Amino acid sequence: QVQLVESGGGSAQTGGSLRLSCEASGDTISSYSMGWFRQAPGKDYEGMSCFNSGGGATYYGDSVEGRFTLSRDNAKNTLYLQMNNLKPEDTAMYYCVANLGGGCYLASIYPYKYWGHGTQVTVSS
């Protein structure tokens, strides 16, 4: 069973950048499909980016493609989300998620068995 701890959130101005980290423990992330979701106040969870457990393609939500980049460091057992050209609408709680094996999903967070507690990102205009 994997445990996920997010960090790297904070405040940024429009056009700025932040890098979120998701450190995993209890198992190696190479066995997991993983990704990031976010939830803004009063809104549903929105999928940002994910990749399948076997590697291959990385998927991005329409609202962040071209601005956010997903990566992982297997040696550090850590997943990253580099967020560039931030906008006020990116303000949300960001969650790292994982499933053992299989493919990843951006349409819904609920298929993911493992969630972190989230890290807050606030973007001011």
Side-chain angles (χ1 to χ4, degrees):
Q1 179 167 323
V2 69
Q3 293 81 44
L4 307 172
V5 178
E6 303 96 334
S7 62
S11 298
Q13 292 191 329
T14 298
S17 298
L18 288 171
R19 188 177 79 156
L20 305 184
S21 299
C22 172
E23 185 172 357
S25 60
D27 206 347
T28 55
I29 63 171
S30 59
S31 301
Y32 288 77
S33 57
M34 298 185 71
W36 290 91
F37 279 72
R38 69 185 180 190
Q39 186 179 36
K43 295 189 176 182
D44 201 354
Y45 292 98
E46 179 186 7
M48 299 292 94
S49 182
C50 69
F51 57 75
N52 298 329
S53 60
T58 300
Y59 302 94
Y60 294 95
D62 291 342
S63 62
V64 303
E65 188 157 20
R67 299 190 297 124
F68 291 9
T69 303
L70 184 69
S71 64
R72 63 178 169 178
D73 186 333
N74 287 339
K76 295 183 178 180
N77 221 31
T78 300
L79 181 72
Y80 301 100
L81 185 68
Q82 178 67 45
M83 306 187 297
N84 297 329
N85 191 21
L86 285 164
K87 304 175 180 180
E89 52 264 42
D90 294 320
T91 295
M93 184 71 79
Y94 284 70
Y95 296 90
C96 176
V97 297
N99 262 345
L100 182 61
C104 70
Y105 319 90
L106 289 180
S108 174
I109 195 173
Y110 298 106
Y112 290 91
K113 182 176 182 180
Y114 305 103
W115 300 24
H117 290 294
T119 186
Q120 177 68 38
V121 170
T122 302
V123 183
S124 58
S125 57

